[in-house]
Amino acid sequence: MAGHHLGRTADRSNGDVTAVERYLTELATHLLGPRRARTAILAETRDGIHEAIQRQLTHGQRPDPAAELAIIEFGPPVTVAASFADELATIQARHTIRALLLTGPLVGLCWLFLLAHPPWPVEPLALWAAIPILPIVGVAVTVGLIVLVSTGSMTRYLPEPPPSLSLLGAAAISVVCLTADLTMLAVLAAHLAHHDRLALPLAGIAAILSLIRLAVAGPLAARCLRARRRLARMPQ
Amino acid sequence: MRPEALKGHLDGLLLAVLEDGPRHGYGVIEAMRQDSGGTFDLPSGTVYPALHRLERAGFIKSRWSMVGGRRRRSYELTAAGRRTLREERDGWAQFSAAVSTVLARAPWPAIT
C-alpha cells in the first residue's frame, strides 16, 4: 500500500514536472533575444515556478493542482515573454554594439597601418584622405558609447533610452561597419589596380578581417531590425 | 493592487525587501506579499524584469547557485543600492507626510 502510494506520488511529481516543462517550452518560443539571456530567464522562471509549487504544497494543496495554480500565478507564457521583451531588446543592442566596438579598433588599425604609414598625418584632412570613412566611424563610435553608457550602470543617473531606439542605434552602427569595410575594400582594390606599393601580407590581413566583419555585421543589423519590429508588435 | 499603482515606488520596495539578505526572485515576490499583508501581490512579469533592471543599474547584484538540481539566481543589495534605499526612505517619509497633511486638511505637520 505504501509502495502504491509512493508510486502515485511519483506519477504526480512527473505530472508536475511535465506541466512545468510544457510551460517553459512554450515560454521559450515567445522569448526573443540573445541565447544566454533567454536561457537565464528560463532557468530563473523554472526555479520560481517550483518555489510557487512548494508554497502551494505547504498550504495543503495536492501536487497536480499545486502545479496548475503555480503556473496560473506566473501567468500565460505570452504575457510573461512580453514582460521580458524590453530587457532582451536592450541586451541584444548592447551585445551588438560591444562586439562591433571591440573588433573595430583591430580592423581599423590594420587599415591605418596599411594605408597611412607612420608617421601618421595629424592634420584632420590628411587623415581623412588616407582613411575616408573616419568621420562616419567616429559618429558610430560615439553613438555606440552613448547607448552602452545610457543602458548600463549610468541608468541610475541618466534616462534610459527606449529599447527600440537602442536597437536602432545598434543596427545603424552595424550598417556603418558594413559601409566602412566595403569602402576600405574598394580603396584597397583601387590601390592594387594602380599597382601602388602596399605591404601585401598586411593588405591580406586587413581584407580578411573586413570580410569577416562584413559577414557578421550584416546579420547583426538584420537581427536588431527584426527584434525592433517584433518589439513593436509585442502586447504591452 | 494593480502593478501600475506602484509606478515610481517599485524599485524602492524591491530594494527594501533585499535589505536583510539575499533572496531569489520568487522569494522577493513572497516577501512583498507577506510584508504588505497581501496588498502587493505582484506578478513575476513585473518583479523579475525590475530586478534585472536594478542589477543593470548597479543597485543589486546577482549570483547563481544550484538548489535541488535547479539553477537559482539570488539577488542582494550593493553599496549603491543601500544608499539609494536610504534616499528612497527619506523621500517617501517627506512625500507621505505631505500627502497625509493635504488629505487630512490639517496644518503641517499633520496631527491625528
Side-chain angles (χ1 to χ4, degrees):
Chain A
M1 187 73 73
H4 177 62
H5 172 70
L6 283 172
R8 285 179 62 199
T9 304
D11 287 343
R12 284 181 178 167
S13 294
N14 289 340
D16 303 344
V17 171
T18 304
V20 172
E21 291 308 314
R22 261 204 313 270
Y23 177 90
L24 292 170
T25 299
E26 189 179 345
L27 176 60
T29 64
H30 296 293
L31 289 174
L32 305 163
R35 187 179 52 82
R36 189 187 289 187
R38 286 184 281 122
T39 303
I41 286 169
L42 289 170
E44 193 170 14
T45 304
R46 175 181 286 108
D47 183 47
I49 290 177
H50 279 282
E51 285 297 308
I53 290 173
Q54 194 54 50
R55 176 172 166 261
Q56 294 292 340
L57 294 174
T58 304
H59 289 157
Q61 274 293 351
R62 294 156 68 85
D64 277 347
E68 285 172 23
L69 288 168
I71 286 170
I72 290 170
E73 181 183 343
F74 265 68
V78 67
T79 305
V80 173
S83 68
F84 285 111
D86 282 358
E87 171 189 341
L88 286 170
T90 300
I91 292 172
Q92 173 88 63
R94 287 175 59 82
H95 281 194
T96 300
I97 293 170
R98 259 205 304 264
L100 293 174
L101 287 185
L102 285 173
T103 57
L106 174 65
V107 180
L109 280 174
C110 283
W111 289 112
L112 194 63
F113 274 110
L114 180 67
L115 298 174
H117 307 287
W120 290 317
V122 294
E123 299 86 11
L125 284 177
L127 201 56
W128 187 1
I131 313 288
I133 42 84
L134 264 183
I136 195 171
V137 166
V139 170
V141 169
T142 305
V143 167
L145 289 174
I146 289 172
V147 172
L148 284 181
V149 163
S150 61
T151 57
S153 61
M154 294 303 284
T155 54
R156 49 175 115 161
Y157 307 115
L158 300 171
E160 188 172 347
S164 61
L165 198 58
S166 300
L167 282 171
L168 188 62
I173 291 166
S174 303
V175 169
V176 166
C177 286
L178 274 170
T179 308
D181 288 318
L182 284 170
T183 304
M184 295 318 297
L185 288 169
V187 166
L188 176 62
H191 278 291
L192 292 174
H194 285 108
H195 303 288
D196 294 339
R197 285 188 61 191
L198 289 176
L200 288 178
L202 186 57
I205 291 169
I208 288 170
L209 288 176
S210 277
L211 286 169
I212 291 172
R213 207 166 62 163
L214 272 175
V216 169
L220 281 177
R223 198 176 297 166
C224 287
L225 292 173
R226 262 201 315 273
R228 195 163 175 264
R229 282 196 298 272
R230 284 192 293 243
L231 191 63
R233 290 199 300 265
M234 274 275 181
Q236 295 296 326
Chain B
M1 177 176 286
R2 291 170 303 164
E4 56 266 27
L6 283 177
K7 201 177 175 69
H9 307 297
L10 179 61
D11 288 359
L13 292 171
L14 293 175
L15 294 177
V17 159
L18 290 170
E19 189 178 24
D20 291 337
R23 290 183 196 272
H24 53 84
Y26 190 75
V28 170
I29 293 173
E30 272 208 290
M32 288 269 277
R33 192 162 35 212
Q34 283 172 11
D35 291 355
S36 67
T39 301
F40 300 147
D41 189 6
L42 298 177
S44 60
T46 296
V47 173
Y48 285 130
L51 288 171
H52 299 167
R53 181 172 43 75
L54 287 172
E55 184 176 19
R56 207 154 27 89
F59 295 132
I60 62 178
K61 59 186 178 187
S62 69
R63 189 173 56 88
W64 288 93
S65 58
M66 290 297 289
V67 174
R70 295 190 306 271
R71 288 179 68 208
R72 168 163 293 176
R73 189 174 185 177
S74 299
Y75 301 90
E76 59 182 321
L77 289 185
T78 60
R82 290 189 188 277
R83 278 197 303 275
T84 300
L85 179 56
R86 278 197 297 273
E87 290 164 12
E88 289 279 331
R89 285 198 168 113
D90 293 342
W92 175 255
Q94 194 173 18
F95 176 74
S96 61
V99 169
S100 297
T101 302
V102 173
L103 288 179
R105 305 299 293 154
W108 178 270
I111 299 166
T112 53

PDB file of all heavy atoms in Angstrom, chain A residues 141-174:
ATOM      1  N   VAL A 141      31.023  55.304 -33.358  1.00  0.00           N
ATOM      2  CA  VAL A 141      31.612  55.004 -32.048  1.00  0.00           C
ATOM      3  C   VAL A 141      30.925  55.846 -30.960  1.00  0.00           C
ATOM      4  O   VAL A 141      30.610  55.340 -29.879  1.00  0.00           O
ATOM      5  CB  VAL A 141      33.130  55.261 -32.066  1.00  0.00           C
ATOM      6  CG1 VAL A 141      33.704  55.215 -30.655  1.00  0.00           C
ATOM      7  CG2 VAL A 141      33.836  54.234 -32.942  1.00  0.00           C
ATOM      8  N   THR A 142      30.685  57.113 -31.268  1.00  0.00           N
ATOM      9  CA  THR A 142      30.031  57.992 -30.291  1.00  0.00           C
ATOM     10  C   THR A 142      28.634  57.480 -29.959  1.00  0.00           C
ATOM     11  O   THR A 142      28.253  57.402 -28.784  1.00  0.00           O
ATOM     12  CB  THR A 142      29.944  59.428 -30.847  1.00  0.00           C
ATOM     13  OG1 THR A 142      31.247  59.865 -31.208  1.00  0.00           O
ATOM     14  CG2 THR A 142      29.344  60.378 -29.827  1.00  0.00           C
ATOM     15  N   VAL A 143      27.873  57.131 -30.997  1.00  0.00           N
ATOM     16  CA  VAL A 143      26.514  56.608 -30.777  1.00  0.00           C
ATOM     17  C   VAL A 143      26.578  55.326 -29.949  1.00  0.00           C
ATOM     18  O   VAL A 143      25.798  55.129 -29.002  1.00  0.00           O
ATOM     19  CB  VAL A 143      25.806  56.348 -32.127  1.00  0.00           C
ATOM     20  CG1 VAL A 143      24.546  55.525 -31.925  1.00  0.00           C
ATOM     21  CG2 VAL A 143      25.484  57.654 -32.828  1.00  0.00           C
ATOM     22  N   GLY A 144      27.506  54.452 -30.289  1.00  0.00           N
ATOM     23  CA  GLY A 144      27.645  53.186 -29.560  1.00  0.00           C
ATOM     24  C   GLY A 144      27.949  53.401 -28.083  1.00  0.00           C
ATOM     25  O   GLY A 144      27.347  52.767 -27.215  1.00  0.00           O
ATOM     26  N   LEU A 145      28.869  54.310 -27.815  1.00  0.00           N
ATOM     27  CA  LEU A 145      29.231  54.574 -26.419  1.00  0.00           C
ATOM     28  C   LEU A 145      28.063  55.188 -25.663  1.00  0.00           C
ATOM     29  O   LEU A 145      27.821  54.851 -24.495  1.00  0.00           O
ATOM     30  CB  LEU A 145      30.450  55.509 -26.367  1.00  0.00           C
ATOM     31  CG  LEU A 145      31.771  54.864 -26.812  1.00  0.00           C
ATOM     32  CD1 LEU A 145      32.887  55.896 -26.867  1.00  0.00           C
ATOM     33  CD2 LEU A 145      32.163  53.714 -25.896  1.00  0.00           C
ATOM     34  N   ILE A 146      27.324  56.068 -26.316  1.00  0.00           N
ATOM     35  CA  ILE A 146      26.154  56.678 -25.665  1.00  0.00           C
ATOM     36  C   ILE A 146      25.134  55.601 -25.298  1.00  0.00           C
ATOM     37  O   ILE A 146      24.593  55.586 -24.188  1.00  0.00           O
ATOM     38  CB  ILE A 146      25.510  57.754 -26.572  1.00  0.00           C
ATOM     39  CG1 ILE A 146      26.415  58.985 -26.642  1.00  0.00           C
ATOM     40  CG2 ILE A 146      24.125  58.147 -26.054  1.00  0.00           C
ATOM     41  CD1 ILE A 146      25.969  60.025 -27.648  1.00  0.00           C
ATOM     42  N   VAL A 147      24.862  54.683 -26.232  1.00  0.00           N
ATOM     43  CA  VAL A 147      23.888  53.621 -25.946  1.00  0.00           C
ATOM     44  C   VAL A 147      24.385  52.727 -24.806  1.00  0.00           C
ATOM     45  O   VAL A 147      23.636  52.396 -23.885  1.00  0.00           O
ATOM     46  CB  VAL A 147      23.600  52.771 -27.206  1.00  0.00           C
ATOM     47  CG1 VAL A 147      22.753  51.555 -26.847  1.00  0.00           C
ATOM     48  CG2 VAL A 147      22.898  53.599 -28.269  1.00  0.00           C
ATOM     49  N   LEU A 148      25.664  52.355 -24.851  1.00  0.00           N
ATOM     50  CA  LEU A 148      26.199  51.471 -23.796  1.00  0.00           C
ATOM     51  C   LEU A 148      26.139  52.151 -22.423  1.00  0.00           C
ATOM     52  O   LEU A 148      25.746  51.532 -21.432  1.00  0.00           O
ATOM     53  CB  LEU A 148      27.652  51.088 -24.109  1.00  0.00           C
ATOM     54  CG  LEU A 148      27.864  50.041 -25.193  1.00  0.00           C
ATOM     55  CD1 LEU A 148      29.343  49.742 -25.373  1.00  0.00           C
ATOM     56  CD2 LEU A 148      27.101  48.759 -24.885  1.00  0.00           C
ATOM     57  N   VAL A 149      26.531  53.421 -22.395  1.00  0.00           N
ATOM     58  CA  VAL A 149      26.549  54.137 -21.121  1.00  0.00           C
ATOM     59  C   VAL A 149      25.121  54.318 -20.591  1.00  0.00           C
ATOM     60  O   VAL A 149      24.849  54.115 -19.408  1.00  0.00           O
ATOM     61  CB  VAL A 149      27.259  55.500 -21.288  1.00  0.00           C
ATOM     62  CG1 VAL A 149      26.944  56.425 -20.143  1.00  0.00           C
ATOM     63  CG2 VAL A 149      28.765  55.292 -21.405  1.00  0.00           C
ATOM     64  N   SER A 150      24.200  54.698 -21.475  1.00  0.00           N
ATOM     65  CA  SER A 150      22.847  55.017 -21.026  1.00  0.00           C
ATOM     66  C   SER A 150      22.000  53.784 -20.745  1.00  0.00           C
ATOM     67  O   SER A 150      20.892  53.905 -20.234  1.00  0.00           O
ATOM     68  CB  SER A 150      22.139  55.909 -22.052  1.00  0.00           C
ATOM     69  OG  SER A 150      22.037  55.234 -23.283  1.00  0.00           O
ATOM     70  N   THR A 151      22.491  52.597 -21.073  1.00  0.00           N
ATOM     71  CA  THR A 151      21.749  51.367 -20.767  1.00  0.00           C
ATOM     72  C   THR A 151      22.476  50.514 -19.732  1.00  0.00           C
ATOM     73  O   THR A 151      22.038  49.420 -19.417  1.00  0.00           O
ATOM     74  CB  THR A 151      21.522  50.502 -22.027  1.00  0.00           C
ATOM     75  OG1 THR A 151      22.806  50.205 -22.619  1.00  0.00           O
ATOM     76  CG2 THR A 151      20.641  51.204 -23.042  1.00  0.00           C
ATOM     77  N   GLY A 152      23.577  51.034 -19.191  1.00  0.00           N
ATOM     78  CA  GLY A 152      24.344  50.281 -18.195  1.00  0.00           C
ATOM     79  C   GLY A 152      24.162  50.874 -16.814  1.00  0.00           C
ATOM     80  O   GLY A 152      23.076  51.318 -16.447  1.00  0.00           O
ATOM     81  N   SER A 153      25.244  50.926 -16.060  1.00  0.00           N
ATOM     82  CA  SER A 153      25.144  51.390 -14.676  1.00  0.00           C
ATOM     83  C   SER A 153      24.784  52.867 -14.589  1.00  0.00           C
ATOM     84  O   SER A 153      24.325  53.330 -13.538  1.00  0.00           O
ATOM     85  CB  SER A 153      26.455  51.126 -13.934  1.00  0.00           C
ATOM     86  OG  SER A 153      27.512  51.830 -14.559  1.00  0.00           O
ATOM     87  N   MET A 154      24.951  53.618 -15.675  1.00  0.00           N
ATOM     88  CA  MET A 154      24.597  55.032 -15.645  1.00  0.00           C
ATOM     89  C   MET A 154      23.093  55.248 -15.699  1.00  0.00           C
ATOM     90  O   MET A 154      22.641  56.399 -15.630  1.00  0.00           O
ATOM     91  CB  MET A 154      25.267  55.770 -16.812  1.00  0.00           C
ATOM     92  CG  MET A 154      26.776  55.812 -16.713  1.00  0.00           C
ATOM     93  SD  MET A 154      27.351  56.581 -15.175  1.00  0.00           S
ATOM     94  CE  MET A 154      27.068  58.299 -15.534  1.00  0.00           C
ATOM     95  N   THR A 155      22.310  54.161 -15.799  1.00  0.00           N
ATOM     96  CA  THR A 155      20.857  54.336 -15.773  1.00  0.00           C
ATOM     97  C   THR A 155      20.407  54.888 -14.435  1.00  0.00           C
ATOM     98  O   THR A 155      19.282  55.380 -14.305  1.00  0.00           O
ATOM     99  CB  THR A 155      20.111  53.009 -16.019  1.00  0.00           C
ATOM    100  OG1 THR A 155      20.582  52.032 -15.091  1.00  0.00           O
ATOM    101  CG2 THR A 155      20.302  52.516 -17.433  1.00  0.00           C
ATOM    102  N   ARG A 156      21.281  54.791 -13.390  1.00  0.00           N
ATOM    103  CA  ARG A 156      20.890  55.383 -12.121  1.00  0.00           C
ATOM    104  C   ARG A 156      20.938  56.906 -12.176  1.00  0.00           C
ATOM    105  O   ARG A 156      20.335  57.566 -11.316  1.00  0.00           O
ATOM    106  CB  ARG A 156      21.761  54.877 -10.970  1.00  0.00           C
ATOM    107  CG  ARG A 156      23.243  54.913 -11.187  1.00  0.00           C
ATOM    108  CD  ARG A 156      23.972  54.491  -9.934  1.00  0.00           C
ATOM    109  NE  ARG A 156      24.703  53.253 -10.126  1.00  0.00           N
ATOM    110  CZ  ARG A 156      25.691  52.844  -9.342  1.00  0.00           C
ATOM    111  NH1 ARG A 156      26.060  53.555  -8.294  1.00  0.00           N
ATOM    112  NH2 ARG A 156      26.323  51.715  -9.565  1.00  0.00           N
ATOM    113  N   TYR A 157      21.649  57.461 -13.155  1.00  0.00           N
ATOM    114  CA  TYR A 157      21.743  58.920 -13.244  1.00  0.00           C
ATOM    115  C   TYR A 157      21.100  59.476 -14.504  1.00  0.00           C
ATOM    116  O   TYR A 157      20.667  60.625 -14.524  1.00  0.00           O
ATOM    117  CB  TYR A 157      23.216  59.358 -13.250  1.00  0.00           C
ATOM    118  CG  TYR A 157      24.034  58.807 -12.101  1.00  0.00           C
ATOM    119  CD1 TYR A 157      25.077  57.922 -12.329  1.00  0.00           C
ATOM    120  CD2 TYR A 157      23.751  59.174 -10.789  1.00  0.00           C
ATOM    121  CE1 TYR A 157      25.821  57.412 -11.279  1.00  0.00           C
ATOM    122  CE2 TYR A 157      24.488  58.659  -9.733  1.00  0.00           C
ATOM    123  CZ  TYR A 157      25.524  57.787  -9.989  1.00  0.00           C
ATOM    124  OH  TYR A 157      26.260  57.276  -8.950  1.00  0.00           O
ATOM    125  N   LEU A 158      21.084  58.663 -15.577  1.00  0.00           N
ATOM    126  CA  LEU A 158      20.613  59.156 -16.868  1.00  0.00           C
ATOM    127  C   LEU A 158      19.324  58.446 -17.258  1.00  0.00           C
ATOM    128  O   LEU A 158      19.129  57.289 -16.879  1.00  0.00           O
ATOM    129  CB  LEU A 158      21.661  58.884 -17.960  1.00  0.00           C
ATOM    130  CG  LEU A 158      23.028  59.508 -17.799  1.00  0.00           C
ATOM    131  CD1 LEU A 158      23.976  58.950 -18.854  1.00  0.00           C
ATOM    132  CD2 LEU A 158      22.926  61.015 -17.920  1.00  0.00           C
ATOM    133  N   PRO A 159      18.470  59.134 -18.012  1.00  0.00           N
ATOM    134  CA  PRO A 159      17.270  58.438 -18.505  1.00  0.00           C
ATOM    135  C   PRO A 159      17.684  57.367 -19.511  1.00  0.00           C
ATOM    136  O   PRO A 159      18.546  57.602 -20.356  1.00  0.00           O
ATOM    137  CB  PRO A 159      16.469  59.559 -19.185  1.00  0.00           C
ATOM    138  CG  PRO A 159      17.449  60.639 -19.475  1.00  0.00           C
ATOM    139  CD  PRO A 159      18.537  60.537 -18.462  1.00  0.00           C
ATOM    140  N   GLU A 160      17.072  56.200 -19.380  1.00  0.00           N
ATOM    141  CA  GLU A 160      17.412  55.093 -20.269  1.00  0.00           C
ATOM    142  C   GLU A 160      16.644  55.254 -21.575  1.00  0.00           C
ATOM    143  O   GLU A 160      15.446  55.524 -21.552  1.00  0.00           O
ATOM    144  CB  GLU A 160      17.045  53.766 -19.608  1.00  0.00           C
ATOM    145  CG  GLU A 160      17.520  52.545 -20.367  1.00  0.00           C
ATOM    146  CD  GLU A 160      17.305  51.257 -19.589  1.00  0.00           C
ATOM    147  OE1 GLU A 160      17.012  51.332 -18.375  1.00  0.00           O
ATOM    148  OE2 GLU A 160      17.424  50.182 -20.195  1.00  0.00           O
ATOM    149  N   PRO A 161      17.315  55.114 -22.728  1.00  0.00           N
ATOM    150  CA  PRO A 161      16.585  55.242 -23.993  1.00  0.00           C
ATOM    151  C   PRO A 161      15.623  54.075 -24.165  1.00  0.00           C
ATOM    152  O   PRO A 161      15.848  52.983 -23.629  1.00  0.00           O
ATOM    153  CB  PRO A 161      17.702  55.196 -25.043  1.00  0.00           C
ATOM    154  CG  PRO A 161      18.823  54.486 -24.389  1.00  0.00           C
ATOM    155  CD  PRO A 161      18.737  54.804 -22.928  1.00  0.00           C
ATOM    156  N   PRO A 162      14.555  54.284 -24.920  1.00  0.00           N
ATOM    157  CA  PRO A 162      13.649  53.167 -25.204  1.00  0.00           C
ATOM    158  C   PRO A 162      14.415  52.051 -25.909  1.00  0.00           C
ATOM    159  O   PRO A 162      15.307  52.327 -26.722  1.00  0.00           O
ATOM    160  CB  PRO A 162      12.594  53.772 -26.133  1.00  0.00           C
ATOM    161  CG  PRO A 162      12.748  55.242 -25.997  1.00  0.00           C
ATOM    162  CD  PRO A 162      14.134  55.519 -25.569  1.00  0.00           C
ATOM    163  N   PRO A 163      14.111  50.793 -25.609  1.00  0.00           N
ATOM    164  CA  PRO A 163      14.836  49.679 -26.235  1.00  0.00           C
ATOM    165  C   PRO A 163      14.812  49.729 -27.764  1.00  0.00           C
ATOM    166  O   PRO A 163      15.792  49.357 -28.412  1.00  0.00           O
ATOM    167  CB  PRO A 163      14.091  48.440 -25.723  1.00  0.00           C
ATOM    168  CG  PRO A 163      13.484  48.874 -24.440  1.00  0.00           C
ATOM    169  CD  PRO A 163      13.136  50.310 -24.620  1.00  0.00           C
ATOM    170  N   SER A 164      13.701  50.208 -28.334  1.00  0.00           N
ATOM    171  CA  SER A 164      13.630  50.262 -29.797  1.00  0.00           C
ATOM    172  C   SER A 164      14.675  51.232 -30.347  1.00  0.00           C
ATOM    173  O   SER A 164      15.251  51.002 -31.428  1.00  0.00           O
ATOM    174  CB  SER A 164      12.230  50.680 -30.246  1.00  0.00           C
ATOM    175  OG  SER A 164      11.928  51.963 -29.749  1.00  0.00           O
ATOM    176  N   LEU A 165      14.948  52.303 -29.585  1.00  0.00           N
ATOM    177  CA  LEU A 165      15.969  53.267 -30.019  1.00  0.00           C
ATOM    178  C   LEU A 165      17.368  52.663 -29.899  1.00  0.00           C
ATOM    179  O   LEU A 165      18.229  52.869 -30.774  1.00  0.00           O
ATOM    180  CB  LEU A 165      15.854  54.533 -29.172  1.00  0.00           C
ATOM    181  CG  LEU A 165      16.520  55.798 -29.723  1.00  0.00           C
ATOM    182  CD1 LEU A 165      15.959  56.137 -31.090  1.00  0.00           C
ATOM    183  CD2 LEU A 165      16.295  56.965 -28.755  1.00  0.00           C
ATOM    184  N   SER A 166      17.593  51.917 -28.824  1.00  0.00           N
ATOM    185  CA  SER A 166      18.895  51.254 -28.660  1.00  0.00           C
ATOM    186  C   SER A 166      19.136  50.259 -29.793  1.00  0.00           C
ATOM    187  O   SER A 166      20.252  50.155 -30.320  1.00  0.00           O
ATOM    188  CB  SER A 166      18.957  50.529 -27.313  1.00  0.00           C
ATOM    189  OG  SER A 166      18.777  51.428 -26.245  1.00  0.00           O
ATOM    190  N   LEU A 167      18.082  49.520 -30.165  1.00  0.00           N
ATOM    191  CA  LEU A 167      18.208  48.554 -31.268  1.00  0.00           C
ATOM    192  C   LEU A 167      18.497  49.280 -32.581  1.00  0.00           C
ATOM    193  O   LEU A 167      19.290  48.817 -33.398  1.00  0.00           O
ATOM    194  CB  LEU A 167      16.917  47.733 -31.411  1.00  0.00           C
ATOM    195  CG  LEU A 167      16.729  46.598 -30.407  1.00  0.00           C
ATOM    196  CD1 LEU A 167      15.325  46.033 -30.528  1.00  0.00           C
ATOM    197  CD2 LEU A 167      17.765  45.499 -30.627  1.00  0.00           C
ATOM    198  N   LEU A 168      17.830  50.433 -32.772  1.00  0.00           N
ATOM    199  CA  LEU A 168      18.055  51.213 -33.986  1.00  0.00           C
ATOM    200  C   LEU A 168      19.510  51.695 -34.033  1.00  0.00           C
ATOM    201  O   LEU A 168      20.170  51.630 -35.086  1.00  0.00           O
ATOM    202  CB  LEU A 168      17.097  52.397 -34.027  1.00  0.00           C
ATOM    203  CG  LEU A 168      17.074  53.214 -35.323  1.00  0.00           C
ATOM    204  CD1 LEU A 168      16.628  52.340 -36.484  1.00  0.00           C
ATOM    205  CD2 LEU A 168      16.151  54.423 -35.176  1.00  0.00           C
ATOM    206  N   GLY A 169      20.028  52.145 -32.884  1.00  0.00           N
ATOM    207  CA  GLY A 169      21.427  52.572 -32.815  1.00  0.00           C
ATOM    208  C   GLY A 169      22.371  51.430 -33.140  1.00  0.00           C
ATOM    209  O   GLY A 169      23.340  51.592 -33.890  1.00  0.00           O
ATOM    210  N   ALA A 170      22.085  50.245 -32.579  1.00  0.00           N
ATOM    211  CA  ALA A 170      22.933  49.081 -32.839  1.00  0.00           C
ATOM    212  C   ALA A 170      22.899  48.701 -34.313  1.00  0.00           C
ATOM    213  O   ALA A 170      23.938  48.378 -34.920  1.00  0.00           O
ATOM    214  CB  ALA A 170      22.478  47.901 -31.973  1.00  0.00           C
ATOM    215  N   ALA A 171      21.697  48.760 -34.910  1.00  0.00           N
ATOM    216  CA  ALA A 171      21.577  48.432 -36.334  1.00  0.00           C
ATOM    217  C   ALA A 171      22.337  49.448 -37.176  1.00  0.00           C
ATOM    218  O   ALA A 171      23.024  49.090 -38.145  1.00  0.00           O
ATOM    219  CB  ALA A 171      20.101  48.397 -36.740  1.00  0.00           C
ATOM    220  N   ALA A 172      22.227  50.723 -36.812  1.00  0.00           N
ATOM    221  CA  ALA A 172      22.911  51.779 -37.557  1.00  0.00           C
ATOM    222  C   ALA A 172      24.428  51.592 -37.497  1.00  0.00           C
ATOM    223  O   ALA A 172      25.133  51.745 -38.500  1.00  0.00           O
ATOM    224  CB  ALA A 172      22.519  53.153 -37.007  1.00  0.00           C
ATOM    225  N   ILE A 173      24.940  51.231 -36.320  1.00  0.00           N
ATOM    226  CA  ILE A 173      26.389  51.016 -36.169  1.00  0.00           C
ATOM    227  C   ILE A 173      26.817  49.813 -37.004  1.00  0.00           C
ATOM    228  O   ILE A 173      27.889  49.822 -37.628  1.00  0.00           O
ATOM    229  CB  ILE A 173      26.742  50.827 -34.689  1.00  0.00           C
ATOM    230  CG1 ILE A 173      26.554  52.145 -33.944  1.00  0.00           C
ATOM    231  CG2 ILE A 173      28.170  50.328 -34.513  1.00  0.00           C
ATOM    232  CD1 ILE A 173      26.539  52.012 -32.448  1.00  0.00           C
ATOM    233  N   SER A 174      25.981  48.787 -37.051  1.00  0.00           N
ATOM    234  CA  SER A 174      26.301  47.615 -37.892  1.00  0.00           C
ATOM    235  C   SER A 174      26.384  48.032 -39.355  1.00  0.00           C
ATOM    236  O   SER A 174      27.285  47.591 -40.094  1.00  0.00           O
ATOM    237  CB  SER A 174      25.232  46.531 -37.723  1.00  0.00           C
ATOM    238  OG  SER A 174      25.098  46.154 -36.379  1.00  0.00           O
TER     239      SER A 174
END
